[in-house]
């Protein structure tokens, strides 16, 4: 392990902002800022059911995951054209690059959009074009991960998978998102088996609000390589031991957990406990437009609340590259950049 030199606590936020990192858990539809909602609505001749940007933003107060998902799905109604998806993704990638994100693995839905008449092809083409341009403009590398919506049926997930196959080469993996309670991972066992056979990388949201059993079945039934959230694992010591032993990464999203009341305060968040148990935890923004901050805001607020140190910062950034789906040579390159940042920072 790289031994980090001690740092004055007031210098830590600057280091967090400057250090290279990967972001592995963010939903591109969750980066749709209220300003862009209004701009896209106007471009598409649609009416937003709020008088202005401030009123829309002030509606972003949630009791739980479902209350958030209702507003999040309503926001996606303004996304109609390839250019809309391009603009949304380009804005996120510019913002992420400013947070020193060198690599982003981005979730997107197609079922939300096909549900109101926008084809999967339009969605993927716009997102992909933004990723290509962002690589050239900001040097950020990306991967696109299609999330099945778990409140819909297995049959609908199969249909969704079929619809994206013409653009298979533009996609990195598949995941599982949306309402967790009552929709255990095993509902999608056969779809994930098919995706695996097609060579997709596999991840799933599990243990965000749902029980540790959902994390076990995401691993054992869906055979995912990473768990999104996974914060309920702290209730199960055998699971914690397994996650650490098998180095199964968790993509943790502290501000999301705070806003969706998974933890009453950030001081009570379990990520410190996870790091200290040797789990490959990473910090991510989930739905930054809705939860009050992009990835660096997640870092700075969590570090302040939990009293984390420069050593934790190095660990989290290093974990983010380890947990990513980039090849080993590029991982080594990013880790060297991380080390150079820590060595030259003072
Ligand atoms: N879709 C977007 N954000 C999500 C979250 N935090 N959990 C489940 N599904 C989501
Ligand atoms: Zn998520």
């Amino acid at each position: 392990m790289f031994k980090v030199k001690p740092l004055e606590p007031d210098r830590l936020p600057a280091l967090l902002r400057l250090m290279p990192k990967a972001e592995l858990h963010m939903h591109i539809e969750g980066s749709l800022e209220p300003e862009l909602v209004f701009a896209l609505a106007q471009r598409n001749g649609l009416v937003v059911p709020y008088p202005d940007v401030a009123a829309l933003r002030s509606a972003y107060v949630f009791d739980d995951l479902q209350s958030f998902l209702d507003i999040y799905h309503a926001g996606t109604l303004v996304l109609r054209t390839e250019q809309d998806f391009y603009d949304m993704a380009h804005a996120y990638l510019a913002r992420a690059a400013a947070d020193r994100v060198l690599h982003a693995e981005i979730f997107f839905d197609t079922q939300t959009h096909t549900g109101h008449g926008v084809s999967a092809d339009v969605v993927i083409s716009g997102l992909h074009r933004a990723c290509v341009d962002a690589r050239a403009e900001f040097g950020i590398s990306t991967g696109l991960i299609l999330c099945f919506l778990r409140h819909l049926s297995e049959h609908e997930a199969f249909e969704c998978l079929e619809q994206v196959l013409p653009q298979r080469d533009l996609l990195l993996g598949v995941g599982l998102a949306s309402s967790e309670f009552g929709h255990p991972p095993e509902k999608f066992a056969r779809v994930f088996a098919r995706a695996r056979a097609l060579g997709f990388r596999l991840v799933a949201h599990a243990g965000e609000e749902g029980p540790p059993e959902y994390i076990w079945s995401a691993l054992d039934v869906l055979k995912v390589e990473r768990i999104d959230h996974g914060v309920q694992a702290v209730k199960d010591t055998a699971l914690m031991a397994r996650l650490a032993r098998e180095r199964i990464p968790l993509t943790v999203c502290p501000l999301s957990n705070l806003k969706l009341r998974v933890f009453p305060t950030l001081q009570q968040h379990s990520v410190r406990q996870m790091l200290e148990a040797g789990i490959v935890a990473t910090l991510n923004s989930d739905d930054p437009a809705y939860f009050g901050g992009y990835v660096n805001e997640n870092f700075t607020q969590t570090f302040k609340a939990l009293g984390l140190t420069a050593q934790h910062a190095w660990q989290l950034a290093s974990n983010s590259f380890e947990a990513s789906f980039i090849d080993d040579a590029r991982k080594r390159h990013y880790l060297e950049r991380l080390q150079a940042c820590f060595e030259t920072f003072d």
Side-chain angles (χ1 to χ4, degrees):
M1 194 216 276
F2 177 64
K3 189 83 188 75
V4 173
K5 59 185 183 219
L7 191 71
E8 291 300 318
D10 64 335
R11 299 288 293 133
L12 195 49
L15 175 67
L16 295 172
R17 281 193 275 272
L18 199 68
M19 71 179 184
K21 54 188 78 73
E23 179 155 51
L24 306 176
H25 182 163
M26 69 81 52
H27 302 259
I28 200 66
E29 293 88 349
S31 72
L32 195 53
E33 294 286 350
E35 290 79 1
L36 192 55
V37 170
F38 275 89
L40 296 183
Q42 190 175 31
R43 187 155 91 189
N44 293 322
L46 301 165
V47 175
V48 180
Y50 290 88
D52 53 33
V53 164
L56 178 55
R57 203 181 287 284
S58 68
Y60 294 174
V61 178
F62 313 109
D63 298 324
D64 55 15
L65 175 58
Q66 192 56 52
S67 64
F68 156 68
L69 289 170
D70 294 341
I71 287 205
Y72 164 89
H73 288 304
T76 66
L77 288 169
V78 300
L79 294 159
R80 297 282 155 170
T81 66
E82 191 262 5
Q83 187 66 42
D84 297 341
F85 288 91
Y86 176 93
D87 290 344
M88 173 175 64
H90 189 270
Y92 161 70
L93 288 164
R95 191 65 191 69
D99 276 6
R100 290 302 306 279
V101 172
L102 303 187
H103 176 75
E105 294 179 6
I106 298 172
F107 294 141
F108 68 102
D109 310 339
T110 59
Q111 286 164 295
T112 313
H113 311 296
T114 55
H116 52 255
V118 176
S119 74
D121 169 65
V122 161
V123 178
I124 295 171
S125 301
L127 299 181
H128 175 70
R129 187 162 63 88
C131 290
V132 171
D133 285 0
R135 180 81 199 231
E137 279 177 68
F138 315 121
I140 187 169
S141 61
T142 52
L144 292 174
I145 300 180
L146 167 70
C147 278
F148 300 118
L149 300 185
R150 66 202 305 159
H151 67 278
L152 301 178
S153 67
E154 181 202 39
H155 173 72
E156 287 163 300
F158 266 117
E159 263 180 6
C160 163
L161 184 58
E162 288 307 314
Q163 285 163 1
V164 303
L165 286 186
Q167 286 160 302
R168 162 73 191 91
D169 293 348
L170 306 185
L171 306 180
L172 172 65
V174 301
L176 189 60
S178 189
S179 325
E180 190 177 16
F181 280 127
H183 303 287
E186 53 271 26
K187 177 175 165 187
F188 298 95
R190 295 189 300 182
V191 191
F192 270 66
R194 169 101 176 103
R196 189 156 170 256
L198 289 164
F200 285 96
R201 308 303 297 257
L202 306 181
V203 299
H205 284 53
E208 177 183 11
E209 288 182 338
E213 290 72 32
Y214 284 17
I215 303 176
W216 286 101
S217 66
L219 295 172
D220 293 331
V221 181
L222 301 188
K223 305 206 181 304
V224 302
E225 301 164 81
R226 266 190 333 234
I227 296 288
D228 297 311
H229 293 294
V231 289
Q232 303 299 336
V234 287
K235 295 178 177 159
D236 182 333
T237 44
L239 179 57
M240 290 286 278
R242 177 180 179 187
L243 294 170
R245 190 176 59 248
E246 297 182 16
R247 299 196 70 71
I248 298 160
L250 300 186
T251 63
V252 176
C253 307
L255 289 180
S256 163
N257 297 150
L258 180 67
K259 291 288 155 69
L260 302 187
R261 307 193 190 192
V262 173
F263 295 95
T265 66
L266 268 189
Q267 284 76 9
Q268 286 156 282
H269 199 283
S270 57
V271 70
R272 183 176 189 136
Q273 194 183 336
M274 288 176 160
L275 288 172
E276 288 171 0
I279 288 173
V280 185
T282 68
L283 293 192
N284 307 272
S285 66
D286 204 7
D287 298 285
Y290 292 90
F291 299 148
Y294 287 76
V295 69
N296 282 356
E297 196 61 29
N298 275 269
F299 271 93
T300 50
Q301 289 199 31
T302 305
F303 271 63
K304 185 160 181 250
L306 296 177
L308 299 178
T309 64
Q311 189 69 47
H312 292 112
W314 181 85
Q315 190 65 57
L316 284 161
S318 165
N319 288 350
S320 74
F321 295 119
E322 175 180 341
S324 75
F325 293 138
I326 54 188
D327 64 42
D328 287 346
R330 215 141 49 84
K331 278 187 190 177
R332 271 197 303 280
H333 170 69
Y334 287 151
L335 287 169
E336 280 163 15
R337 286 182 64 176
L338 177 64
Q339 187 159 336
C341 168
F342 273 75
E343 280 169 355
T344 54
F345 186 85
D346 58 73

